[in-house]
Amino acid sequence: VPGVLGIAVLTFVITIFIKGFETAVINAVSVLVIACPCALGLATPTAIMVGAGSAARRGILFKGGDILERAHNITTVVFDKTGTITEGKPQVKETVILGDKQFIIDALYSVERQSEHPLAQALVDYAQKQGAEYIEPQDFVSLAGKGVKAKINGAEILAGNIKLMDENGIDIKEYKDYSQKGGTAVFMSADGALAGVFLITDTIKSNAQAAIRELKDMGIKTLMLTGDSSHAAAMTAAEVGINDYIAEVLPAQKEEHIQRLKHIGEIVAMAGDGVNDAPSLASADIGFVMSSGADVAIEAGDITLMHGDLKKVADAILISKKTITKIKQNLFWAFIYNVIGIPLAAFGILNPMIAGAAMALSSVSVVTNSLLLKKQIEQKS
């Protein structure tokens, strides 16, 4: 703006001595009119509006224009497993009961009913089908990333993963590799002795493999973080084609892994759905959250994916890339009129009416170019 004002003053001062006051005023006004920054002001917001609107129609909700602008820089996408790569509807596939079956089923039902974890719901559903009766647990404690602990009829009940069993000295060596049957093993103990083993399986989303392939085609690295066993994680990663995975990760450690990736220069996106994913979603450069996820996760995320469709991750990044390209094109059209028009106006070749028409045309060209983005996104879909 100062530069344009300076050119206008200089045009007036020089022209007044050569062609007189009237021509000097006309030429100076022409410079100001042709340089009117309307198109410059429209270049970014019009593209953002079209990009965000097109994304919303495809079930991709950006929290703000700044998120849409930043998403094109993503270099690594980190995925949670349960409820993100998988359907999040786990079921008990196989069981081992060691002891009084009725008490074990009742205790399992009573402690797991207090938990919000998807695996807990699978155990609750299983116990209900077995005719379990609810017993009010005492001293209930949810151990993040490990399981639950409570007292049922005076007996200390633990239900969770291998880490929880090892920390409490529960002998599970005979069943330590139970998850190799294909799933996640949940162990239950009563008063220090192993009481049951429950193998839980979850179906991988039908479009997960295609979603990972699209990200790879875009040159984006993928990583899976999960609290599941190494074997279960390896099977899932291999099936969907994820580059790398880290298993048996506690919720707090997920955030640490995100920070480590950012520290080495990666632009990190996190895709998750659960309460445990909220810190990681907030810590990542961009957080993708499934619409079916927990409220706290949706609040922490930046982009909400309706229907939990993983292919929308790649679509969101692609829309961001196309929007940024369109913004750059708009800025070109906004500036090209100024670059060509200002010298012509300064030399008196453009009068204010033609300069005004050219200025308006630059705004029209920017808006029209932004609207073309909608068509380009639709063609991709």
Side-chain angles (χ1 to χ4, degrees):
V1 172
V4 169
L5 292 175
I7 293 171
V9 170
L10 188 62
T11 298
F12 178 79
V13 171
I14 294 174
T15 308
I16 198 172
F17 290 110
I18 300 174
K19 296 187 177 180
F21 178 80
E22 185 178 336
T23 303
V25 170
I26 291 174
N27 289 1
V29 169
S30 295
V31 169
L32 293 173
V33 171
I34 194 65
C36 183
C38 295
L40 190 62
L42 291 168
T44 298
T46 53
I48 292 291
M49 288 173 65
V50 174
S54 297
R57 281 189 289 274
R58 283 154 186 77
I60 304 167
L61 307 181
F62 290 89
K63 274 194 175 178
D66 59 321
I67 306 300
L68 178 54
E69 288 187 73
R70 289 193 281 119
H72 80 285
N73 291 317
I74 292 170
T75 58
T76 298
V77 178
V78 178
F79 291 94
D80 171 50
K81 176 176 171 282
T82 305
T84 304
I85 292 176
T86 64
E87 293 287 356
K89 298 176 182 176
Q91 295 179 326
V92 175
K93 178 183 178 182
E94 196 173 309
T95 63
V96 175
I97 304 294
L98 305 169
D100 183 349
K101 180 177 179 179
Q102 189 60 50
F103 173 73
I104 291 170
I105 295 298
D106 291 347
L108 178 72
Y109 175 64
S110 301
V111 297
E112 293 295 351
R113 212 172 88 162
Q114 314 301 316
S115 175
E116 295 181 353
H117 197 281
L119 296 184
Q121 186 56 51
L123 293 168
V124 168
D125 292 342
Y126 163 76
Q128 284 180 320
K129 290 176 183 176
Q130 299 298 312
E133 294 184 8
Y134 180 70
I135 303 170
E136 186 67 34
Q138 297 175 330
D139 303 328
F140 176 84
V141 180
S142 179
L143 306 168
K146 299 175 186 177
V148 293
K149 176 181 179 182
K151 285 189 176 180
I152 302 292
N153 289 346
E156 185 175 78
I157 304 296
L158 295 173
N161 57 20
I162 292 175
K163 192 172 293 186
L164 180 63
M165 298 295 114
D166 288 344
E167 287 180 358
N168 289 272
I170 310 299
D171 183 11
I172 61 167
K173 59 184 178 182
E174 188 177 344
Y175 301 98
K176 208 156 192 173
D177 297 329
Y178 206 68
S179 62
Q180 291 186 9
K181 292 188 175 186
T184 301
V186 174
F187 301 88
M188 177 181 165
S189 70
D191 284 336
L194 185 64
V197 186
F198 306 89
L199 185 66
I200 300 174
T201 59
D202 194 0
T203 306
I204 292 175
K205 290 181 179 178
S206 58
N207 57 9
Q209 193 173 27
I212 301 302
R213 186 169 58 249
E214 281 192 30
L215 289 171
K216 285 185 175 181
D217 290 343
M218 295 168 68
I220 296 173
K221 295 187 280 287
T222 56
L223 169 70
M224 183 176 73
L225 295 180
T226 177
D228 281 351
S229 66
S230 297
H231 183 77
M235 289 178 64
T236 301
E239 187 168 346
V240 299
I242 285 181
N243 296 116
D244 199 6
Y245 67 90
I246 303 175
E248 299 177 17
V249 179
L250 297 175
Q253 293 174 327
K254 286 186 179 182
E255 187 178 2
E256 292 174 9
H257 286 296
I258 296 290
Q259 292 294 346
R260 177 182 59 81
L261 288 169
K262 290 171 70 174
H263 185 70
I264 61 175
E266 298 289 338
I267 307 299
V268 184
M270 170 73 189
D273 75 315
V275 173
N276 292 342
D277 298 322
S280 307
L281 289 165
S283 178
D285 294 294
I286 299 289
F288 289 93
V289 61
M290 307 297 122
S291 62
S292 57
D295 290 345
V296 67
I298 293 174
E299 183 64 29
D302 300 302
I303 302 171
T304 302
L305 305 180
M306 304 304 292
H307 317 301
D309 188 350
L310 274 187
K311 286 191 72 177
K312 302 297 183 186
V313 174
D315 289 345
I317 297 172
L318 185 63
I319 288 173
S320 176
K321 288 179 180 291
K322 287 184 175 293
T323 302
I324 292 300
T325 299
K326 194 60 65 175
I327 289 172
K328 291 177 180 178
Q329 291 173 0
N330 286 348
L331 291 172
F332 168 80
W333 288 112
F335 278 113
I336 195 67
Y337 286 94
N338 295 344
V339 171
I340 296 172
I342 289 175
L344 295 176
F347 286 106
I349 299 173
L350 290 179
N351 66 44
M353 288 187 294
I354 296 175
M359 181 272 292
L361 184 60
S362 68
S363 298
V364 171
S365 64
V366 163
V367 173
T368 303
N369 193 45
S370 291
L371 291 173
L372 289 174
L373 175 61
K374 179 182 175 183
K375 186 176 182 181
Q376 292 172 355
I377 294 172
E378 286 176 350
Q379 287 175 341
K380 167 61 177 67
S381 300

